[in-house]
Amino acid sequence: METERKFKKDMEDITDMQNELQMSFDAISENEAFARLAVAAFVMPLDPTMEEISDIKTAVSEAVTNAVIHGYDEEYMQERDRQGCSGEKREKVHMYCRIEGDMLYIEIRDMGKGIEDIPKAMEPLYTTKPELERSGMGFAFMEAFMDHLEVISEPGCGTVVRMEKRLQAAEEENDL
Amino acid sequence: MEENFKVIDNYLMVRMPEEVDHHKSGFISKTADDYIMKDGVGNVVFDFEDTRFMDSSGIGIIIGRYKKISYFGGKVFAINADTRIKRTLMICGLHKVIEIME
């Protein structure tokens, strides 16, 4: 009885959780693994299923890869340097995550090239870099693996990707 | 990493790493292509036994190799993929062009 009450109490504490994670890292491919591992660790208190962890890691990996390859596109950065208007010395990707109850919010932001035609960029199989063997499935994966996806971008102003996912495991525990 | 590539008869066996992402994909594609060119292998087998994570970069590796060898009638196989890797392959419809085997 006592342990049951304590268990319920613990669960209430967890579902009240409003943890936040904010990190900025260099826009290099090594950090794709770092970003998705950080998010995986961040959601652990919600006791997600293996599948949910895998979905979240994939979506984060896609968004960060987009920032590294497309946001800070090499040609664009060289052009920007030539014009002498580079703001940050090193290109950074900013990630912000928040847990609210059983909801996970993720925002991934770069200050790079931006997207001219967002609906086109989000089409499955569409890629501006076929020579790099990009499959054009990045946004499609984010959409498939998360509950909600929003892309805000303007050429020259960078890109913000917002994603949401409700974690079933946390939901089930609420029913206890 | 090189030991993860092996040629057996007319097949190039590629043992995929634990995590397949953009950071790893360039090396895998390039090395696989070197073997395809040098040894003239007709088919490619991707072994996912060690793989616990794959994003769309892995799809790019597979489609890229498929385009190269299917032109000469070669086939691409995926073996030992767990349910999550299989799901990723299926979402892209890759099961229609490559063979996913147990």
Side-chain angles (χ1 to χ4, degrees):
Chain A
M1 229 20 203
E2 187 55 38
T3 46
E4 199 178 309
R5 204 159 52 226
K6 187 181 176 306
F7 179 70
K8 269 190 179 163
K9 172 89 181 57
D10 286 350
M11 279 305 138
E12 272 167 28
D13 290 347
I14 285 176
T15 47
D16 271 351
M17 184 180 281
Q18 296 199 344
N19 281 4
E20 292 179 45
L21 169 74
Q22 208 155 5
M23 50 191 263
S24 299
F25 46 88
D26 289 344
I28 50 173
S29 63
E30 284 87 342
N31 280 333
E32 291 153 11
F34 171 49
R36 57 178 187 262
L37 287 177
V39 176
F42 179 70
V43 298
M44 275 309 162
L46 292 182
D47 195 18
T49 62
M50 292 298 282
E51 193 169 322
E52 283 170 333
I53 299 172
S54 168
D55 288 355
I56 295 162
K57 280 170 77 176
T58 309
V60 168
S61 194
E62 299 297 348
V64 173
T65 302
N66 275 354
V68 172
I69 303 180
H70 301 285
Y72 297 113
D73 173 273
E74 243 171 78
E75 264 174 52
Y76 171 78
M77 296 315 289
Q78 280 164 6
E79 181 60 29
R80 204 177 73 163
D81 285 345
R82 261 200 298 280
Q83 291 171 357
C85 55
S86 72
E88 291 172 333
K89 230 185 161 149
R90 289 194 84 155
E91 292 76 44
K92 295 276 184 188
V93 179
H94 307 279
M95 184 166 82
Y96 169 76
C97 308
R98 189 172 81 246
I99 291 172
E100 250 176 55
D102 55 1
M103 287 296 288
L104 168 70
Y105 299 90
I106 302 175
E107 188 178 291
I108 290 161
R109 181 191 294 265
D110 68 67
M111 314 300 265
K113 186 182 186 180
I115 303 169
E116 240 160 79
D117 186 344
I118 298 174
K120 181 97 196 149
M122 290 177 75
E123 270 174 30
L125 301 176
Y126 174 79
T127 178
T128 52
K129 295 205 183 296
E131 75 282 5
L132 288 183
E133 289 195 341
R134 305 314 306 166
S135 59
M137 292 302 286
F139 282 125
F141 273 27
M142 290 180 232
E143 250 173 343
F145 293 133
M146 301 295 277
D147 296 340
H148 180 76
L149 168 69
E150 186 186 359
V151 182
I152 306 159
S153 184
E154 226 176 279
C157 298
T159 300
V160 182
V161 173
R162 288 200 185 118
M163 299 183 281
E164 288 175 25
K165 191 175 180 70
R166 186 178 295 278
L167 295 167
Q168 300 298 325
E171 203 172 55
E172 277 160 28
E173 275 157 2
N174 266 343
D175 297 338
L176 280 179
Chain B
M1 276 295 267
E2 286 275 345
E3 71 273 11
N4 294 325
F5 296 82
K6 218 185 280 170
V7 175
I8 302 172
D9 296 332
N10 197 20
Y11 292 83
L12 171 65
M13 312 287 289
V14 183
R15 202 176 172 103
M16 297 295 257
E18 194 176 340
E19 304 221 309
V20 182
D21 64 1
H22 159 236
H23 180 60
K24 302 257 174 70
S25 66
F27 173 81
I28 299 169
S29 295
K30 202 194 151 296
T31 313
D33 285 352
D34 288 348
Y35 277 97
I36 292 169
M37 294 297 288
K38 193 180 70 192
D39 295 296
V41 289
N43 309 288
V44 180
V45 181
F46 291 102
D47 185 349
F48 289 98
E49 182 161 12
D50 304 328
T51 307
R52 295 292 159 266
F53 175 85
M54 183 173 84
D55 66 14
S56 71
S57 307
I59 305 298
I61 298 175
I62 297 172
I63 294 178
R65 307 293 75 66
Y66 173 78
K67 280 183 182 161
K68 286 220 161 67
I69 62 160
S70 64
Y71 187 74
F72 300 103
K75 274 190 162 182
V76 175
F77 301 85
I79 59 169
N80 297 322
D82 66 21
T83 48
R84 283 184 290 272
I85 306 288
K86 270 188 203 147
R87 192 164 133 238
T88 308
L89 297 172
M90 308 274 258
I91 286 176
C92 301
L94 272 190
H95 54 292
K96 290 174 193 153
V97 289
I98 70 168
E99 281 195 43
I100 302 172
M101 308 197 329
E102 292 309 314

